[in-house]
Amino acid sequence: MASMCKWTFLQAMCLVVSLSMAVPENYEDDIDVNFGPNYLNEITEEDQMEGETPTPSPEPCKGSVFTKWDKLFTMLENSQMKENMLLQYADDIIKVELQSLREEMLQFVAQYGGSCASAVENSVRRAGIQTETRLQNALDRVREVSADQSTQHDVALQQLLAASVNQTTRLERLENECLKLGGRGQASQAKSVQTRHLMQEVTETENGGRLEKTLAGISSELQTIREQLTLYTKSVFANSFPSGCDTGLLFPTRSSTAHAEVSPKTPFQTNAVTICLWVKPTQVLNKTILFSYSTTGNAYELQLVLNGRSVFFTVDGETHLVQALGAAQEGHWVHICAVWSSQQGLASLWVNGQQAASSPGVAEGHELRSKGSILLGQEYGRFFRHLSIPDTFDAELAFTGKMTGVNMWDRVLNSKEISQQARLDGSGCGIRGNVVAWGVSDIEPKGGVKLIY
């Protein structure tokens, strides 16, 4: 039993020594901790001897008598206190260094942020000027080549006309000679006629061959110019927005948080609506939300949805819809307008300025409620924000691609008003809705969605 107690005591002493050695000794600031007189924490030889009667000795002070275990735990507590103090000191040093680093970063941003923005703006401006210059040079070259080809074509036609006149003159002379020699017999006439036809065929073959070669060369050069101009036009429009729009929304990835929230210009309550927008989908899946309007009473008041290459427009739920097949294509801009009136429930979809689908009886007599929320690229569904639930959605319904020219009216637009917005190279972006107006209404991108220029 005595040997067991000694072995336990030796293990405790080794633990204390290892904890003391684990604490760093050198620091910039000396830490002085007073733990009281040493004799209170000291284990004497008398405590180690078991079975012997301790000899009485005068006590240095009137204090509590500590056993060897009390002293051992006191030493452990003192070691823990030292460790806590050192950790606190290290935390203070880290906080001071982080604060200093933050101040230096803010100073750097304040000093160089303006110059970087100015440099980027100048680079964009120079790139725009260079693009315009190249486009103008290409157009000038096309005009020059077209003028040269037109001149060559006119010259070829004039040569053909002159050859025809000469041939006609020669034929007339030959006929006159044949008439003069009419008494020489039918054999001579036959030979003359054969000679005339032979000469005519030879002349027509020569002139026709020249003209065919000339026209073939002109056609080949025009085709080459047309292909170059087409490629250049595609490269220019690939990095720009349609219909004169200056800005757009980029939905880079499909996630449960990517969307854009639109604030209407004024609250509205109506029985007719028109929604128009430009979209360029990166990928078309079974169901992708483009536009949704939700209220506290109905989370599916209005929805404009891509379903594969088709477009769906629903009013007051998915049971009331109209669809246009083959309307969208990956990587291409398409203009979509959805029109609805509660009178007879007339709903229609317009694709690139042309009516693609129409259906009566869609939510007939329904009235859109006000004070709702408009989302681009997602739907609230049952997770409506008035229920105090964070903005998390179904990632499978998220839209990926580009979007611009989003407008909304509380009335039905006619065909002329819709076609004016759908011109790819026009200025339809200047036509703005009275409920949602692109470039005027407040649009807040969230979840990684970016406003691009």
Side-chain angles (χ1 to χ4, degrees):
M1 185 68 178
S3 62
M4 181 66 69
C5 292
K6 290 181 179 180
W7 176 248
T8 305
F9 175 75
L10 290 175
Q11 288 181 340
M13 290 299 295
C14 291
L15 176 62
V16 171
V17 172
S18 62
L19 289 174
S20 300
M21 294 177 65
V23 178
E25 296 181 355
N26 297 325
Y27 294 92
E28 295 180 0
D29 298 334
D30 294 335
I31 300 175
D32 188 11
V33 183
N34 186 11
F35 297 102
N38 294 331
Y39 65 85
L40 295 178
N41 298 331
E42 182 179 3
I43 300 177
T44 63
E45 295 179 357
E46 296 176 356
D47 293 332
Q48 298 179 3
M49 299 175 60
E50 295 185 0
E52 296 181 2
T53 303
T55 59
S57 59
E59 297 181 355
C61 62
K62 294 180 180 181
S64 302
V65 177
F66 295 97
T67 66
K68 59 180 182 179
W69 299 110
D70 293 334
K71 295 176 181 180
L72 178 62
F73 286 117
T74 301
M75 294 172 65
L76 291 174
E77 290 177 357
N78 293 339
S79 300
Q80 185 67 32
M81 184 181 301
K82 288 182 178 180
E83 182 180 357
N84 292 336
M85 294 177 66
L86 292 173
L87 290 175
Q88 182 64 31
Y89 180 72
D91 290 341
D92 293 340
I93 293 176
I94 292 174
K95 289 180 180 178
V96 172
E97 293 297 331
L98 288 177
Q99 183 65 23
S100 176
L101 180 61
R102 181 176 180 274
E103 292 177 356
E104 292 178 0
M105 290 297 295
L106 292 176
Q107 184 178 2
F108 178 80
V109 172
Q111 183 176 0
Y112 297 102
S115 60
C116 292
S118 177
V120 171
E121 184 179 358
N122 293 333
S123 299
V124 172
R125 187 181 295 108
R126 286 195 298 268
I129 294 174
Q130 291 178 359
T131 303
E132 292 179 358
T133 304
R134 292 178 180 177
L135 180 59
Q136 186 63 36
N137 293 336
L139 292 175
D140 294 340
R141 181 184 175 188
V142 169
R143 294 191 186 97
E144 292 176 357
V145 173
S146 299
D148 294 340
Q149 297 295 339
S150 178
T151 303
Q152 294 178 3
H153 188 258
D154 293 340
V155 171
L157 291 177
Q158 291 177 1
Q159 292 177 355
L160 179 60
L161 181 60
S164 300
V165 172
N166 293 334
Q167 184 66 24
T168 303
T169 304
R170 293 176 64 183
L171 289 175
E172 290 178 354
R173 292 178 181 177
L174 185 60
E175 289 177 357
N176 294 329
E177 291 179 357
C178 290
L179 291 175
K180 291 179 180 179
L181 299 175
R184 295 184 179 179
Q186 295 180 353
S188 299
Q189 290 181 358
K191 290 182 180 180
S192 300
V193 172
Q194 291 179 358
T195 303
R196 183 180 62 186
H197 286 302
L198 181 60
M199 293 176 64
Q200 183 177 1
E201 289 176 1
V202 171
T203 305
E204 289 178 355
T205 301
E206 293 177 354
N207 294 331
R210 294 175 183 174
L211 179 61
E212 184 177 357
K213 290 181 180 180
T214 303
L215 292 178
I218 295 173
S219 177
S220 177
E221 293 180 3
L222 288 176
Q223 182 66 24
T224 303
I225 295 171
R226 187 181 297 108
E227 291 176 355
Q228 293 177 354
L229 186 59
T230 302
L231 291 175
Y232 185 80
T233 304
K234 288 182 178 180
S235 64
V236 171
F237 280 106
N239 299 320
S240 62
F241 298 107
S243 195
C245 296
D246 297 327
T247 59
L249 293 173
L250 174 62
F251 297 78
T253 58
R254 182 173 288 105
S255 68
S256 60
T257 58
H259 68 285
E261 187 171 351
V262 183
S263 299
K265 295 172 61 178
T266 56
F268 70 99
Q269 186 169 355
T270 180
N271 55 6
V273 68
T274 300
I275 303 168
C276 293
L277 49 81
W278 283 95
V279 291
K280 183 181 181 181
T282 302
Q283 186 179 17
V284 291
L285 300 176
N286 291 335
K287 185 177 181 181
T288 301
I289 306 298
L290 299 177
F291 180 100
S292 66
Y293 175 68
S294 305
T295 62
T296 53
N298 187 356
Y300 303 97
E301 281 281 359
L302 293 173
Q303 280 196 335
L304 193 57
V305 182
L306 281 181
N307 191 357
R309 296 185 62 183
S310 301
V311 179
F312 284 22
F313 177 50
T314 66
V315 182
D316 192 24
E318 295 182 355
T319 57
H320 309 284
L321 60 87
V322 59
Q323 60 178 334
L325 302 177
Q329 187 176 356
E330 293 180 356
H332 292 78
W333 284 106
V334 59
H335 186 260
I336 301 172
C337 279
V339 183
W340 171 80
S341 174
S342 65
Q343 185 179 2
Q344 300 180 359
L346 293 176
S348 60
L349 278 171
W350 297 69
V351 178
N352 292 330
Q354 302 294 326
Q355 183 172 326
S358 178
S359 176
V362 177
E364 184 176 356
H366 180 68
E367 186 176 31
L368 297 178
R369 298 181 181 180
S370 60
K371 298 181 180 179
S373 294
I374 298 176
L375 291 185
L376 302 179
Q378 259 296 356
E379 66 171 11
Y380 274 117
R382 64 181 184 275
F383 303 110
F384 189 64
R385 68 186 181 93
H386 289 178
L387 301 179
S388 301
I389 297 177
D391 291 342
T392 55
F393 310 95
D394 189 352
E396 295 182 358
L397 303 179
F399 169 75
T400 57
K402 296 180 181 180
M403 185 181 300
T404 187
V406 182
N407 292 282
M408 180 177 178
W409 292 263
D410 58 356
R411 63 182 180 87
V412 174
L413 268 62
N414 57 40
S415 59
K416 183 177 180 181
E417 291 174 313
I418 294 175
S419 62
Q420 287 178 349
Q421 302 176 57
R423 293 185 57 186
L424 188 65
D425 57 348
S427 58
C429 241
I431 303 175
R432 296 182 173 88
N434 62 339
V435 177
V436 175
W438 183 258
V440 178
S441 298
D442 184 19
I443 299 178
E444 185 178 1
K446 295 183 179 179
V449 179
K450 301 178 181 178
L451 183 65
I452 55 178
Y453 300 88

